[in-house]
Amino acid sequence: MARPSMAGQRREEILDALELCILEKGIQATSLENIAEKARMKRTILRHYIGNRDQIIIALSERWAKKYQQEWQELMLWLPPANRSEALLDALFTVHSKEMVNNAVIGEAIFSEAKRLPEIKAHQVAIMAEFISHACTTFQQDYPNTAPDKIELVAHALYANYLMSESLIPLKMVDEIHKLKQASRLLCQVLETN
């Protein structure tokens, strides 16, 4: 009888190790040796299961793109039948845990590699498109008489505010995040006028 493959488990351990390295050193200072040490594996094992440093970063980006997709699915199911836009803003602009801080740091680190690695840029483009799509769907439900192009512009502005708020999370700039939420509320008021 053949032994079960450890590929999936090893891959997750390597990606977990990269996340820890990013939190400790930042992505630029993280080497393949650092990842191997954190994963308690030899470099050759990392290369066998995923590849070189860039391939590991791309694999982490892919993991996070899937994570964002899953979070959106859960959020869309969670939104109430009425006043969905307000509930969406509450969900997007809430700072409440150390995990959120860590997620923001890792997300920014991955984003910083998008210029250099086309696969990560593609993940970021998909993440943005999904955000805009879900925001538009939510706004269309709350503001059915508003022109779709107006809704899309507000969704883009909301995304910009959200990205800025994510960059403020590790700095613990809660008041500024709250102001970005208020600014987003004002943006949504534009949707009330056709």
Side-chain angles (χ1 to χ4, degrees):
M1 179 182 225
R3 272 188 358 202
S5 172
M6 295 291 290
Q9 180 181 338
R10 291 288 182 248
R11 182 180 176 85
E12 292 304 308
E13 290 170 356
I14 293 165
L15 298 179
D16 291 345
L18 175 55
E19 287 183 3
L20 291 172
C21 288
I22 289 170
L23 293 172
E24 291 174 9
K25 302 173 179 294
I27 200 162
Q28 301 304 324
T30 296
S31 67
L32 204 54
E33 290 80 15
N34 300 135
I35 301 167
E37 181 181 321
K38 190 62 75 177
R40 296 185 180 118
M41 297 177 194
K42 294 181 180 182
R43 281 179 47 180
T44 55
I45 300 295
L46 270 64
R47 288 183 178 277
H48 173 74
Y49 285 108
I50 299 182
N52 64 28
R53 181 181 178 275
D54 284 352
Q55 290 167 320
I56 296 170
I57 293 170
I58 291 166
L60 182 64
S61 175
E62 184 178 315
R63 175 203 248 184
W64 278 73
K66 289 177 184 175
K67 178 180 178 176
Y68 287 132
Q69 192 174 48
Q70 178 66 34
E71 287 175 355
W72 268 112
Q73 290 171 0
E74 291 170 8
L75 177 59
M76 295 307 285
L77 290 173
W78 172 83
L79 292 177
N83 298 319
R84 293 172 67 84
S85 299
E86 183 62 30
L88 178 63
L89 294 179
D90 285 341
L92 292 175
F93 296 96
T94 300
V95 181
H96 53 75
S97 70
K98 174 80 171 150
E99 180 183 0
M100 283 187 74
V101 173
N102 290 346
N103 289 348
V105 170
I106 294 167
E108 283 186 16
I110 293 168
F111 187 84
S112 73
E113 296 293 307
K115 182 178 180 183
R116 195 173 66 78
L117 299 168
E119 297 91 341
I120 294 178
K121 180 179 179 183
H123 295 154
Q124 294 299 319
V125 168
I127 288 168
M128 178 179 174
E130 184 166 23
F131 185 108
I132 300 300
S133 173
H134 288 301
C136 285
T137 298
T138 302
F139 294 153
Q140 286 166 346
Q141 290 172 347
D142 282 353
Y143 307 101
N145 298 322
T146 303
D149 59 333
K150 193 176 196 181
I151 285 174
E152 185 180 3
L153 289 174
V154 170
H156 274 83
L158 176 64
Y159 185 66
N161 282 352
Y162 172 73
L163 284 182
M164 176 56 77
S165 74
E166 285 286 297
S167 69
L168 298 176
I169 289 173
L171 304 175
K172 299 180 181 168
M173 297 176 71
V174 178
D175 289 339
E176 288 74 10
I177 294 169
H178 181 70
K179 287 177 185 171
L180 286 166
K181 180 179 179 179
Q182 296 306 318
S184 297
R185 258 197 197 110
L186 285 173
L187 279 168
C188 289
Q189 288 177 4
V190 169
L191 299 174
E192 294 172 1
T193 59
N194 301 334

